[in-house]
Amino acid sequence: MNPTLVRWLQAPSIFVLLLWMIVPLSMTVYFSTIRYNLLYPERTGFIGLDNYRFFATDPSFGPALINTLILVGSVLVITIVLGLAISILIDRPFRGRGIARVMLISPFFIMPTVSALVWKNMLMDPNNGLFAAFSQALGLQPVEWLAQYPLFSIIVMVSWQWTPFAILIFMTSLQSQDQEQKEAATLDGAGFWSQFWNLTLPHLARPISIVLLIQMIFHLSIFAEIFVTTSGGPGVSSTNLTYLIYIQSQQAFDVGVASAGGVFAIILANIVALFLIRAVGKTLTV
Amino acid sequence: MTDRQRQIWIDRAAVTAAWIAALVFFFPIFWMVLTSFKTEGQAIQVPPLLIFEPTLENYLEIQERTNYAKFAMNSVVTAFGGTLLALLIAVPSAYAMAFNTTHRTKDVLMWMLSTKMLPAVGVMMPIYFLAQKFDLFDTRTLLVVIYAMMNLPIVMLILFNYFREIPKEILEASRMDGTSTFNEIRQIVLPLAWGGIASTALLSIILCWNEAFWSIVLTTTDASTLTAFVASFQAPEGLFWAKVSAVSTLACAPIVVFGWMAQKQLVQGLTFGAVK
């Protein structure tokens, strides 16, 4: 193929992605440095870092940042540990394994708003939910999950959706594990744990790091689950950064402050992305 | 107990544990589908009903009383439209990159992936602003464009990996025969890569279909997709569990099936090609 044609074929994808990245990004940065509130259109002008100061000193900012970290951290631990355990369980053949696998990965394909509603209503509702029915059957007081433990409830929902993702990745990766090596280890009398630490875990090291990083990217911007269930409440007890920025723009109509928050979110995501890109780059053979 | 007996017990315990895990994870979905066949009264009954006479009433009512069909149509149009647009841009590019790899190709692909890292909320205000400015707010066109951009990096990467697997000798042979580039793509590359393109499309459709941030933020009524429609049931007055379940079941069923079919591509796409 001649080089000109190659360039022309590549151009569209590079061009549109460049636009998609640079235009909104520079606008966000620009908005974040000016006075821009839809309620007060007469107030304009460059204000330097005031929006950032305002966003960072907002009493909700601290809790939102902490909630974000707790949310991401807990979901990561739960999904990786459960994902590892379950994918190892279903790695060896048994009758009906195909069905069990399909059942295990299905939650990942449920749209987030549906999953949030199912958990909120049918499972966690303190009056008519299934968990409440269990509590009552045991003679206990039903728990108001979303009011009493809002962040925990969201962690449960998100883990339910993303453990299947970890299972899917680990399961695929386990299939490429060297079986002869494992058999040899068994013959040599290596037990389950010693095989796990010395063979399986090293084999899964890369998938685990990839799963970690990808989940971090997605979980930093969890939105639908909070939007549908707790709306960030009670108070700000289940507000994460994404939701806080959303509130800032939709309820306070403050484009400037929301943009400053946006820049903050971008920086946070990019710290993670840096590591992810490096990990992925190592595996891409060109 | 001999070692062999012990091993058998361990195996049995492992299989049991696997099935328990499968049942626990699948249960919410099962419960949702079950609820969709109950009457509204049965749906909120305490203790919950397991055995009842199933009814199709909810499925009929959501067709009659809500705009379910409209939202479903929006989901179909935006998911397929976004995917198609992404493929139209990505196929030629990925093809050119895969068959004319230079030292920069990897950097370009990595840069493309890095655009995926931009959190949606970080660019929410500009997109909102631009949508208003170009009169695209609450239109399917807007979502199609955004979904295409959102999935383009992943689509590029998977297609690139597929095209790389096509043996170069075949292409060289056809070039000796003087085939034009256009015919080369049409007659040789596309037929060979067809499966790869189709499964890439499947992955992209799944991601578009389940997208919830943009569809909630950028639509109000006209272009709302099923994710946004389902989100509208969050209000307390909308407590129609059986009907919500019916809507949810219809909204999720096709994508769950697609998901089962596209497992391999999903793994590749979601790990940016790092796990195959």
Side-chain angles (χ1 to χ4, degrees), chain A residues 19-65:
Chain A
L19 270 187
W20 169 244
M21 186 178 81
I22 287 181
V23 173
L25 196 60
S26 44
M27 282 174 80
T28 298
V29 174
Y30 170 67
F31 287 163
S32 74
T33 61
I34 58 169
R35 246 186 228 107
Y36 189 177
N37 189 316
L38 298 177
L39 295 180
Y40 309 101
E42 72 282 0
R43 297 183 195 168
T44 54
F46 179 79
I47 50 167
L49 294 176
D50 276 7
N51 285 325
Y52 291 89
R53 203 168 300 139
F54 188 86
F55 185 77
T57 54
D58 185 277
S60 312
F61 175 72
L65 188 61

Side-chain angles (χ1 to χ4, degrees), chain A residues 1 9 13 24 28 36 92 102 105-106 109 111-113 117 120-122 128 130 160 206 214 249 273 281 286, chain B residues 11 25 27 44 48 93 95 101 106 112 122 124-126 129 209-210 227 230 234 241 245 255 260 266 270 274:
Chain A
M1 228 189 294
L9 287 176
S13 67
T28 298
Y36 189 177
R92 45 177 143 193
V102 161
I105 58 168
S106 294
F109 305 121
M111 51 177 69
T113 48
L117 270 186
K120 176 192 181 186
N121 290 339
M122 283 168 256
N128 309 94
L130 198 62
W160 177 69
R206 207 174 65 199
I214 287 168
S249 71
V286 171
Chain B
D11 279 350
F25 272 91
F27 182 80
I44 54 168
S93 291
Y95 171 80
T101 316
K106 185 172 172 178
M112 287 185 166
M124 171 179 67
M125 288 331 298
F129 179 87
W209 189 275
N210 285 350
T227 43
V230 171
Q234 53 139 325
W241 291 10
S245 300
I255 253 30
W260 293 341
L266 214 75
L270 289 169

Side-chain angles (χ1 to χ4, degrees), chain A residues 201-213:
Chain A
L201 213 53
H203 177 76
L204 288 178
R206 207 174 65 199
I208 290 175
S209 59
I210 300 274
V211 167
L212 259 169
L213 292 162

Side-chain angles (χ1 to χ4, degrees), chain A residues 1 5-6 9-10 12-14 16-18 20-21 23-25 27-28 31 36 82 86 89-90 92 94-96 99-100 102-114 117-123 125 127-130 133 136 159-160 163-165 168-169 171-173 206-207 210 214 217 223-224 227-228 231 242 245-246 249-250 255 258-259 262 265-266 269 273 276-277 280-281 283-286, chain B residues 7 10-11 14-15 17-19 21-23 25-29 31-32 35 44 46 48 89 92-93 95-97 100-102 105-106 108-115 117-119 121-130 146 149 152-153 156-157 160-161 164 175 181 206 209-210 212-213 216-217 226-227 230-231 233-234 239 241 244-245 248 251-252 255-256 259-260 263 266-267 270-272 274-276:
Chain A
M1 228 189 294
L5 184 63
V6 171
L9 287 176
Q10 289 186 14
S13 67
I14 295 176
V16 293
L17 278 177
L18 206 61
W20 169 244
M21 186 178 81
V23 173
L25 196 60
M27 282 174 80
T28 298
F31 287 163
Y36 189 177
L82 277 183
I86 296 174
L89 278 180
I90 57 171
R92 45 177 143 193
F94 58 87
R95 201 185 300 160
I99 297 169
V102 161
M103 287 167 77
L104 280 166
I105 58 168
S106 294
F108 188 60
F109 305 121
I110 301 294
M111 51 177 69
T113 48
V114 165
L117 270 186
V118 167
W119 281 89
K120 176 192 181 186
N121 290 339
M122 283 168 256
L123 300 175
D125 187 86
N127 299 315
N128 309 94
L130 198 62
Q136 274 171 352
S159 303
W160 177 69
T163 303
F165 170 70
L168 185 63
I169 306 294
M171 194 171 84
T172 311
S173 177
R206 207 174 65 199
I210 300 274
I214 287 168
I217 298 277
F223 171 76
F227 177 82
V228 173
S231 303
T242 302
I245 298 166
Y246 171 79
S249 71
Q250 301 284 313
V255 180
S259 297
I266 292 171
L276 177 58
I277 290 290
V280 171
T283 65
L284 186 73
T285 45
V286 171
Chain B
Q7 192 54 45
I10 291 175
D11 279 350
V15 171
W19 276 110
L23 290 173
F25 272 91
F26 196 73
F27 182 80
I29 299 172
W31 198 244
M32 170 183 89
T35 307
I44 54 168
V46 183
I89 301 171
S93 291
Y95 171 80
M97 277 189 200
N100 298 275
T101 316
T102 66
T105 306
K106 185 172 172 178
V108 172
L109 279 170
M110 284 299 118
W111 165 74
M112 287 185 166
L113 281 184
S114 75
T115 65
M117 313 295 168
L118 207 60
V121 76
V123 293
M124 171 179 67
M125 288 331 298
I127 299 289
Y128 193 79
F129 179 87
L130 290 172
I146 288 188
M149 291 302 114
L152 187 56
M156 276 292 299
L157 189 84
F160 176 83
N161 281 337
R164 294 278 294 169
R175 256 172 238 170
T181 304
I206 296 173
W209 189 275
N210 285 350
F213 182 79
I216 289 174
V217 171
L226 285 172
T227 43
V230 171
F233 283 103
Q234 53 139 325
L239 277 182
W241 291 10
V244 176
S245 300
S248 304
C252 294
I255 253 30
V256 172
W260 293 341
Q263 276 180 46
L266 214 75
V267 171
L270 289 169
T271 60
F272 302 143
V275 176
K276 281 179 206 163

Side-chain angles (χ1 to χ4, degrees), chain A residues 42-253:
Chain A
E42 72 282 0
R43 297 183 195 168
T44 54
F46 179 79
I47 50 167
L49 294 176
D50 276 7
N51 285 325
Y52 291 89
R53 203 168 300 139
F54 188 86
F55 185 77
T57 54
D58 185 277
S60 312
F61 175 72
L65 188 61
I66 293 172
N67 286 341
T68 307
L69 297 178
I70 295 179
L71 185 58
V72 175
S74 325
V75 173
L76 281 179
V77 172
I78 296 173
T79 53
I80 300 268
V81 171
L82 277 183
L84 271 177
I86 296 174
S87 58
I88 290 174
L89 278 180
I90 57 171
D91 188 43
R92 45 177 143 193
F94 58 87
R95 201 185 300 160
R97 180 170 69 163
I99 297 169
R101 276 185 183 177
V102 161
M103 287 167 77
L104 280 166
I105 58 168
S106 294
F108 188 60
F109 305 121
I110 301 294
M111 51 177 69
T113 48
V114 165
S115 122
L117 270 186
V118 167
W119 281 89
K120 176 192 181 186
N121 290 339
M122 283 168 256
L123 300 175
M124 288 177 165
D125 187 86
N127 299 315
N128 309 94
L130 198 62
F131 294 167
F134 276 131
S135 307
Q136 274 171 352
L138 295 172
L140 301 169
Q141 194 67 20
V143 180
E144 287 187 55
W145 292 100
L146 288 165
Q148 290 172 349
Y149 310 102
L151 197 57
F152 174 76
S153 305
I154 288 170
I155 291 172
V156 171
M157 290 175 207
V158 177
S159 303
W160 177 69
Q161 285 226 282
W162 283 85
T163 303
F165 170 70
I167 297 174
L168 185 63
I169 306 294
F170 296 154
M171 194 171 84
T172 311
S173 177
L174 277 176
Q175 280 162 1
S176 64
Q177 198 180 3
D178 190 348
Q179 291 304 321
E180 280 176 19
Q181 205 181 24
K182 272 180 87 176
E183 276 159 29
T186 312
L187 285 179
D188 287 345
F192 170 79
W193 287 109
S194 107
Q195 280 188 36
F196 176 75
W197 286 113
N198 297 315
L199 295 177
T200 310
L201 213 53
H203 177 76
L204 288 178
R206 207 174 65 199
I208 290 175
S209 59
I210 300 274
V211 167
L212 259 169
L213 292 162
I214 287 168
Q215 288 208 54
M216 261 195 241
I217 298 277
F218 276 94
H219 298 338
L220 280 173
S221 44
I222 284 175
F223 171 76
E225 287 85 349
I226 298 174
F227 177 82
V228 173
T229 56
T230 63
S231 303
V236 288
S237 55
S238 59
T239 299
N240 67 353
L241 266 182
T242 302
Y243 200 76
L244 182 67
I245 298 166
Y246 171 79
I247 292 289
Q248 204 59 256
S249 71
Q250 301 284 313
Q251 286 174 12
F253 297 102

